[in-house]
Amino acid sequence: MTRTVGWPARPRSARRTSLWCVAAAAALLLLPAAPATASPAPVRAVCGPADPGAVHCLAQVRTDVHAGLGVRGPNARSTALAELPPGYGPSELRAAYRLPAEGGTGQTIAVVEAGDDPQAEADLAVYRTTFGLPPCTTANGCFRKANQRGDAAPLPPDLGWGVEAALDLDAASALCPSCHLLLVEADQAAGDTLAASVDTAAALGATEISNSYAASESNQNAAFAAHYTHPGVAVVASSGDAGYGIPSVPAAYQSVITAGGTTLTADPGSARGWTESAWEGAGSGCSAWVDKPAWQHDPNCPGRMTSDVSMDADPETGLAVYTTDETGGQAAGWSVVGGTSASSPMLAAVIALAGHPARFPDASRLYTAAAGLTDVATGSNAAGTDCGGDYQCTAVPGYDGPTGNGTPLGLTAF
């Protein structure tokens, strides 16, 4: 079957201050934190440009691909809808990363969003039915939606993150269909409300928490780092979609596993059957405010370097996503969506499949797990910037900023 594919400050240690970092940070912080859209396919950032320091979601939707409403594929009621929707679905993603179809029993993946997605559960049902995944509903105990205080009501207003929420729930479902799903909805797209929602997700029993949003790192962000640390819970965040530059938070926090992004392409002639290169929009950068973790040893960044590992993020090779929420500006139905918003919930799902979230109080395990990762050594995210081809912006053998230590190769590393 053919498929188409603001925050209180903590001073930075003087020993890590350099004139270049200060000048670059000062200059870049004057610019809006707008996601890059350099993929050959026309794409739209779901949350649009953000003011400096503001939190925005990272989903990017292709505007040239749309497949209408309703269940498709073998489970469609009409033979006219027998083709699966465009974009990668569960079978392609499992094949690309050599993941089992089963696993994740007892795991709960939380996705943290800003505002309510009123159609989240109904849209998820269409996605899972289309791809033959088991139902995940409130009635059967698999799906739960809560506000940032952990209550079923009142829910916040719809803030236009519907496509983001659908991407996160669909991506987690694709790789871990047996996992329970928890949607926590923050009152606002702000650092304090999203941090509180992460705490709530952990309190409600999440074993993995995915955060597909970002704000540019600044001297105002350190106060929220503690909210992204929960013993026994793996906290994952997207590296950002603006390419090489100032790192994003929460991705730069030491306790967070940062998901960078690749372009994932079918390659039937290769042994793996797939090839990956660094996606040019994938965020990476050297922190000016977060100390370098003891387990990170890259030579040219004295602070926390992002990212840690990566998965498919290029909207050109994006995921099939279903949503009827049009507040983000996207027509209802099937779309192809990417951004590092996709890599974060997928990585959370891989951790859930392996079933050992307590191994991930931070990303340290992934720096000694080369045998369980596919190294990505081509591509760059340095468009419009000058990092001289350094590993911070260019995929190279071993560790690099755009793709980290590589992409999952089965569950050995997890």
Side-chain angles (χ1 to χ4, degrees), residues 18 28 77 196 219 239 318 321 324 363 372 381:
S18 72
L28 286 172
R77 294 182 179 180
N219 67 341
S239 69
V321 171
T324 53
N381 66 352

Side-chain angles (χ1 to χ4, degrees), residues 245-269:
I246 295 174
S248 298
V249 291
Y253 296 144
Q254 288 199 17
S255 61
V256 170
I257 303 134
T258 306
T262 66
T263 299
L264 175 69
T265 307
D267 182 12

